[in-house]
Amino acid sequence: GNSVTQMEGPVTLSEEAFLTINCTYTATGYPSLFWYVQYPGEGLQLLLKATKADDKGSNKGFEATYRKETTSFHLEKGSVQVSDSAVYFCALSDRGNDYKLSFGAGTTVTVRA
Amino acid sequence: NAGVTQTPKFQVLKTGQSMTLQCAQDMNHEYMSWYRQDPGMGLRLIHYSVGAGITDQGEVPNGYNVSRSTTEDFPLRLLSAAPSQTSVYFCASSYGRSNQPQHFGDGTRLSIL
C-alpha cells in the first residue's frame, strides 16, 4: 500500500533561515504528491503539488521537486518568516484519486523573530 | 463563501454514547472525505464519498458510519464511542476532476472519556 515518511520535528528556526523538510514515499504506479500546511486552529490548506516525475511545485516561496528515482518530495524555502510557523504534511494519492490522500505524520515548524 | 463547515468544534462524550459530526460544503463538490488526525500519525482516511448516495471505506473505518443523501452534507456517526476514537476529525471536499485540491474544514476536536 501507499505510505509517506517525513522528517520528525519539531523544527525551530530563526527568521530568514533556510528550511528543508524531507519526505519520502512508497507507492505503486505513479502517484501525485502534495504538501499541505496547517496553521494553528485551522484546517489543512494545499501548499503545492506535483503530478509527475521531475515536476516542481511552488507556492509562497516554497518549492518541492518530484524525484521518482529517490521516491522523494522534499519541501524547501530559502528564507522563512514568523508567519510560516505551522504544521506541514507531505501526502500522496494514486493518480486520478486525489480525494484519497495518504499523509505523513506532519512536521511542526516554529520560526522565531 | 463558507467553504467546508464542520460542527461542533469541540465535544466531550462518555464511552458508549453516540454522536454525529456534521460536515457541509457549499462549493458543489462531488467528493467528500472524513479524516482523523492523531499525534505522530498524520491524517488517516475514515470514509469517503464520490457523490450523493455513494460511500466507501477508507483506511480506518471501524466504529464509524457515513451517509451521503445530498451533495452538500456528509455526516459522520459514532454509534458507540470508545476512548480510542479521541481525535481531531477533519472533513474535506473536492471536485471530481483529477488534480483538484481538497478543501478542509477547521476540524472537530472530540474527547471520549
Side-chain angles (χ1 to χ4, degrees):
Chain A
N2 296 337
S3 68
V4 177
T5 302
Q6 61 182 102
M7 64 182 284
E8 294 184 13
V11 174
T12 302
L13 301 166
S14 298
E15 230 174 2
E16 300 183 2
F18 183 85
L19 171 67
T20 290
I21 304 176
N22 290 339
C23 171
T24 57
Y25 67 90
T26 302
T28 55
Y30 301 94
S32 297
L33 301 175
F34 307 84
W35 277 100
Y36 278 82
V37 59
Q38 183 181 29
Y39 298 104
E42 298 183 9
L44 279 71
Q45 304 173 24
L46 178 66
L47 181 59
L48 54 83
K49 67 179 182 182
T51 58
K52 62 182 186 295
D54 299 325
D55 266 3
K56 177 185 284 188
S58 61
N59 186 26
K60 299 181 180 181
F62 290 90
E63 293 183 340
T65 301
Y66 189 145
R67 300 290 188 196
K68 187 174 184 298
E69 63 276 14
T70 55
T71 61
S72 64
F73 193 54
H74 304 322
L75 182 69
E76 297 181 336
K77 186 173 185 181
S79 178
V80 294
Q81 305 300 313
V82 172
S83 57
D84 293 325
S85 298
V87 182
Y88 293 83
F89 292 93
C90 186
L92 69 80
S93 69
D94 292 328
R95 185 73 58 82
N97 290 326
D98 293 354
Y99 55 91
K100 294 173 64 177
L101 293 169
S102 296
F103 284 89
T107 301
T108 300
V109 174
T110 301
V111 180
R112 295 179 175 170
Chain B
N1 189 357
V4 179
T5 302
Q6 291 185 236
T7 56
K9 294 190 183 301
F10 303 95
Q11 185 69 48
V12 179
L13 293 178
K14 294 181 179 179
T15 298
Q17 287 185 314
S18 62
M19 168 92 193
T20 298
L21 308 185
Q22 302 292 343
C23 176
Q25 52 90 10
D26 62 358
M27 297 171 282
N28 202 31
H29 286 167
E30 296 99 321
Y31 293 171
M32 297 186 75
S33 308
W34 276 103
Y35 294 85
R36 58 178 289 173
Q37 182 182 22
D38 301 295
M41 302 186 74
L43 280 75
R44 292 179 292 167
L45 182 64
I46 304 171
H47 285 284
Y48 64 96
S49 168
V50 299
I54 305 170
T55 63
D56 207 345
Q57 296 181 351
E59 181 184 356
V60 288
N62 292 340
Y64 306 95
N65 282 349
V66 292
S67 60
R68 184 96 179 271
S69 56
T70 67
T71 299
E72 294 78 18
D73 300 299
F74 191 44
L76 178 72
R77 297 182 186 85
L78 285 71
L79 298 179
S80 180
S84 61
Q85 295 177 304
T86 294
S87 187
V88 181
Y89 292 85
F90 287 97
C91 180
S93 71
S94 64
Y95 288 112
R97 297 182 293 280
S98 185
N99 296 328
Q100 295 301 309
Q102 291 203 43
H103 296 255
F104 283 81
D106 288 342
T108 294
R109 186 174 295 274
L110 184 62
S111 295
I112 315 295
L113 304 179

